[in-house]
Amino acid sequence: MSTLSNRHQTLEDLRTELRSRSQLLSRELLDLVNTNYADFLTLGNSLRGGEEKVEGVRVGLLGFGKEVEGLQRLIAEREEEVGRLVKERRDVRKGIDVGRRLVEYDERLRECEEAVSVGTIKSEEEFESDSSEEDEEDEEEEEEKEEGQGKAKGDDSRYGTPIGRLRRNVVQYRLVKEVVKGLEEHPFVVAQTPRLSKVRSTLLLDLSTALQQAKKAGATGAGKVIQIMKIYADMEESGEAIKVVKTLKTT
């Protein structure tokens, strides 16, 4: 209406104008449809056969799912294999540790046997030679002095084992037992039980001899008695010390 050249037309003129405008719009719409009709048909054709494409996508997804499942199985197998290898490595390391402890046990036991002279009896000259090597320690120097005094008096204390050596031998004995703590049932450890028992028996015999000599010394040997009883306790053999003391009281 705003485009009319003459805004003061009659009603009939307006109707005629509107009718012509409506016909123009209809023709333009028809031309638009005719122009894009080929595109409309192509769009319909392109929509046909979509099921095949969907099926192709579905088949592709199924194949992808199977590949994922295969990878999951492979990962699970590798994980199981890695777990088995880790366990084997732990077992090997444990075996190596046990082997090292057994080797150390044998070495320490041999050193302990040599220290307590298992199966051998030292002569007076050998003992005096060993005792002279211990003069580097103050405590053993005092013991040697006391032993020298005992020689002057004509007693037999010079044939005993010095307190310092007894203490070191007991420490070595405790270390031997500590090395195989938890492996007491191992066949190798069980096979070495007689050797360890001989070491124990020798140590107890040395301690018993030293305790008897200290008791015989009376008041001058009271300090040694206390030291020897402490060595018994360190060896966890306080019961044996009590037996020796009871035996001395009855004699």
Side-chain angles (χ1 to χ4, degrees):
M1 296 288 289
S2 60
T3 59
L4 294 175
S5 58
N6 188 0
R7 301 177 61 90
H8 300 285
Q9 292 178 342
T10 63
L11 182 59
E12 187 63 30
D13 292 335
L14 289 175
R15 288 177 179 175
T16 303
E17 186 71 19
L18 289 173
R19 190 178 296 111
S20 61
R21 292 292 181 93
S22 177
Q23 293 174 355
L24 177 62
L25 291 174
S26 296
R27 284 195 300 271
E28 290 179 354
L29 179 59
L30 182 59
D31 293 338
L32 179 62
V33 172
N34 291 333
T35 302
N36 296 283
Y37 183 72
D39 295 334
F40 292 155
L41 292 178
T42 304
L43 178 61
N45 292 331
S46 63
L47 292 177
R48 293 175 184 175
E51 295 82 359
E52 297 177 357
K53 294 183 179 180
V54 172
E55 183 65 18
V57 173
R58 189 178 70 83
V59 172
L61 289 175
L62 290 175
F64 179 74
K66 290 181 179 179
E67 292 180 0
V68 171
E69 291 177 358
L71 290 175
Q72 288 178 339
R73 287 194 298 270
L74 180 61
I75 292 173
E77 292 174 358
R78 291 295 176 84
E79 184 178 1
E80 183 179 355
E81 182 180 2
V82 169
R84 179 176 55 80
L85 293 175
V86 170
K87 183 178 181 299
E88 289 180 0
R89 185 181 66 177
R90 289 199 191 103
D91 293 340
V92 170
R93 286 184 175 179
K94 184 178 179 181
I96 292 174
D97 179 65
V98 171
R100 287 175 177 172
R101 290 174 63 185
L102 294 177
V103 170
E104 183 180 0
Y105 172 72
D106 182 68
E107 293 176 353
R108 288 187 179 274
L109 181 57
R110 184 174 60 255
E111 292 173 358
C112 195
E113 288 174 333
E114 295 173 354
V116 300
S117 302
V118 173
T120 61
I121 300 177
K122 289 189 176 182
S123 64
E124 180 179 349
E125 292 78 8
E126 290 175 333
F127 177 80
E128 288 177 351
S129 176
D130 291 342
S131 298
S132 64
E133 294 176 357
E134 299 175 355
D135 290 343
E136 297 178 358
E137 299 183 9
D138 294 337
E139 180 181 279
E140 292 178 7
E141 287 179 357
E142 294 176 1
E143 293 170 359
E144 293 294 334
K145 290 179 182 178
E146 292 177 1
E147 291 176 3
Q149 294 174 358
K151 291 177 184 178
K153 294 179 182 180
D155 60 20
D156 294 331
S157 63
R158 59 181 176 171
Y159 297 108
T161 304
I163 300 296
R165 183 185 295 177
L166 286 173
R167 186 179 294 110
R168 287 199 302 273
N169 291 346
V170 169
V171 169
Q172 283 185 307
Y173 172 76
R174 291 290 304 276
L175 288 175
V176 169
K177 296 180 66 176
E178 188 67 24
V179 167
V180 289
K181 195 171 185 179
L183 297 176
E184 293 81 3
E185 302 299 325
H186 193 280
F188 179 80
V189 177
V190 173
Q192 308 309 311
T193 301
R195 295 174 60 191
L196 188 63
S197 297
K198 288 182 180 180
V199 171
R200 175 180 175 274
S201 299
T202 304
L203 282 173
L204 291 177
L205 180 60
D206 291 343
L207 288 171
S208 175
T209 303
L211 184 58
Q212 291 176 20
Q213 293 171 356
K215 293 288 287 185
K216 289 179 180 179
T220 57
K224 278 191 175 182
V225 171
I226 295 175
Q227 294 178 13
I228 294 170
M229 295 298 290
K230 186 177 184 303
I231 294 174
Y232 268 112
D234 293 341
M235 191 177 172
E236 299 179 350
E237 296 287 355
S238 299
E240 293 294 329
I242 295 174
K243 290 180 182 179
V244 174
V245 172
K246 288 182 179 181
T247 302
L248 293 174
K249 287 182 179 180
T250 57
T251 56

